[in-house]
Amino acid sequence: MMKHIFKQGTDPAAPVLLLLHGTGGTERDLLPLADRLSPASSVLSVRGNVLENGMPRYFRRLAEGVFDLEDLVFRTKELNDFLDSAAEQYGFDRSNLVAIGYSNGANIAGSLLFHYQGTLRGAILHHPMVPIRDVALPDLTDVPCFIGAGSNDPLCTPQETEELNQMLQGAGASVTLHWEQFGHQLTSSEVAAAAAWYTSTFKNE
Ligand code: MLT
């Protein structure tokens, strides 16, 4: 069980948006993004189960940018299992989830993609890092991804962004990479780019 908000949408065919906040955030933080991208979608917004000095996160880290990989793998499974049970509880289509994550939330979304085939139909990753190395990624052929990154992001360096891009593309994903210049911040222009990508990817089908 994970603390969460579920909001029933008006269009049962629209992707269900999975919202994953940054370190120190809550399940309320990204609700405006869901409204911006797809107001008719159902929304599942989940709070991270780990606390770091009182700040919710999705997995432990040993230092800034240094992940506790054992916990990452454990928490990724916990979240994936929660998605299965939430789909049953709320009656949404488990195969129609599109994640929107920022920072630590983007990292757990990336980890879902790395570990579980079919867990996400697509992903918007705002300022992600490479969640884990040396794992074989599942086939991501039909999983479009948007990466928003900062050319001067001190946490998620451009090199690491490119590495993640290569890993996802290597697994077959089509990746749209969008660059900003405001460090680790999620700016309104990045949100606008993600919204345009979402519309062209999921609304013109
Ligand atoms: C992380 O720990 O996932 C990254 O450092 C990003 C963050 O949480 O700010």
Side-chain angles (χ1 to χ4, degrees):
M1 174 61 188
M2 299 184 75
K3 191 166 166 54
H4 65 280
I5 293 171
F6 180 76
K7 220 181 87 198
Q8 180 71 53
T10 53
D11 180 358
V16 177
L17 302 180
L18 170 65
L19 306 183
L20 301 164
H21 61 77
T23 299
T26 76
E27 65 280 14
R28 308 210 66 83
D29 291 5
L30 302 187
L31 292 173
L33 297 187
D35 220 39
R36 168 82 185 269
L37 262 62
S38 181
S41 280
S42 293
V43 176
L44 179 64
S45 189
V46 183
R47 185 186 295 199
N49 251 354
V50 164
L51 283 179
E52 179 186 279
N53 303 318
M55 298 186 296
R57 291 175 51 83
Y58 294 95
F59 56 88
R60 285 180 224 287
R61 60 181 164 183
L62 307 171
E64 197 172 85
V66 184
F67 300 155
D68 177 337
L69 295 177
E70 200 179 312
D71 192 58
L72 172 74
V73 169
F74 176 81
R75 299 291 171 185
T76 304
K77 178 177 191 311
E78 182 181 51
L79 177 57
N80 192 56
D81 289 347
F82 174 71
L83 298 177
D84 292 346
S85 63
E88 264 182 45
Q89 181 184 350
Y90 297 114
F92 65 78
D93 179 357
R94 176 68 184 85
S95 65
N96 201 13
L97 271 180
V98 173
I100 305 173
Y102 168 61
S103 189
N104 183 245
N107 293 336
I108 195 82
S111 185
L112 281 172
L113 291 171
F114 274 37
H115 288 102
Y116 295 101
Q117 181 147 26
T119 188
L120 297 175
R121 188 180 156 204
I124 294 176
L125 308 173
H126 292 295
H127 300 261
M129 297 166 67
V130 172
I132 188 167
R133 293 180 172 82
D134 304 322
V135 300
L137 272 62
D139 181 13
L140 296 174
T141 303
D142 292 317
V143 185
C145 298
F146 173 96
I147 296 177
S151 57
N152 56 349
D153 187 333
L155 273 173
C156 315
T157 62
Q159 294 83 335
E160 186 157 347
T161 302
E162 293 290 0
E163 185 186 355
L164 179 64
N165 183 18
Q166 298 293 319
M167 291 171 98
L168 293 170
Q169 288 195 21
S174 57
V175 183
T176 296
L177 191 45
H178 173 84
W179 290 101
E180 294 273 328
Q181 299 169 44
F182 296 94
H184 196 57
Q185 285 178 59
L186 177 51
T187 61
S188 59
S189 56
E190 183 173 320
V191 170
W197 174 87
Y198 181 91
T199 299
S200 66
T201 306
F202 295 112
K203 290 194 179 164
N204 301 330
E205 55 192 10

